[in-house]
């Protein structure tokens, strides 16, 4: 059984409430329930934190045993050298995910410090971005 770890960064605990015009009105817990049903043969674990260090601890811990990491680092995407380094320090391949199409938004969202440490990037497909990342990791 493949083990996939989804990691959500800051403010993504607010999905459903936060800027619904950008991120939709569905909570992540609700989406996760559906995702797990769609992939009964994949062990999908989930971690969310608003704290950079906690995200790094999670990558270091699961990055040894997981078959893949799906990471939406939220705003840390655009600022965190430490997350880049954490991804590089573990063997598990990571897919960077964004719900919104960051390239259609403010210029400060156009650059990612973590993309170069990831296997690939998926953005702009709403919550379905997470499913597409899982597809990429299991195939
Ligand atoms: C986001 C895009 C980021 O720029 C933003 O800071 C987020 C969410 C997305 O999923 O579209 O928090 O990662």
């Amino acid at each position: 059984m493949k083990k996939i770890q989804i990691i959500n960064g800051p403010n993504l605990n607010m999905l459903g409430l936060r800027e619904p015009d950008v991120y939709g009105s569905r909570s992540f817990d609700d989406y996760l329930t559906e995702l797990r049903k769609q992939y009964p043969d994949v062990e999908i674990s989930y971690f969310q934190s608003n704290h950079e260090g906690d995200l790094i601890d999670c990558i270091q811990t699961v990055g040894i045993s997981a078959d893949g990491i799906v990471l939406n680092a939220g705003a840390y995407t655009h600022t965190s050298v430490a997350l880049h380094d954490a991804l590089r320090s573990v063997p598990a391949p990571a897919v960077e995910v964004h719900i919104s199409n960051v390239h259609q938004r403010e210029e400060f969202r156009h650059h990612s410090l973590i993309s170069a440490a990831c296997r690939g990037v998926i953005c702009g497909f709403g919550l379905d971005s997470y499913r597409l990342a899982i597809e990429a990791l299991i195939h």
Side-chain angles (χ1 to χ4, degrees), residues 10 12 18 23 72 74-75 77-78 97-100 102 105 109:
L12 291 163
R18 174 194 185 195
Y23 299 111
N72 186 347
T77 303
H78 317 296
V97 155
H98 300 286
I99 297 164
S100 64
V102 286
R105 301 182 63 196
R109 298 185 202 277

Side-chain angles (χ1 to χ4, degrees), residues 52-123:
E52 192 175 12
D54 290 344
L55 299 171
I56 291 165
D57 287 345
C58 181
I59 290 168
Q60 289 181 0
T61 307
V62 305
I64 311 292
S65 54
D67 295 300
I69 295 172
V70 176
L71 174 63
N72 186 347
Y76 288 139
T77 303
H78 317 296
T79 62
S80 181
V81 175
L83 277 176
H84 172 112
D85 289 347
L87 290 165
R88 278 212 191 280
S89 68
V90 295
V95 175
E96 174 185 345
V97 155
H98 300 286
I99 297 164
S100 64
N101 182 345
V102 286
H103 301 289
Q104 289 176 340
R105 301 182 63 196
E106 303 96 321
E107 207 171 322
F108 64 83
R109 298 185 202 277
H110 296 183
H111 187 62
S112 166
L113 291 184
I114 64 172
S115 299
C118 290
R119 183 78 176 70
V121 181
I122 295 173
C123 81

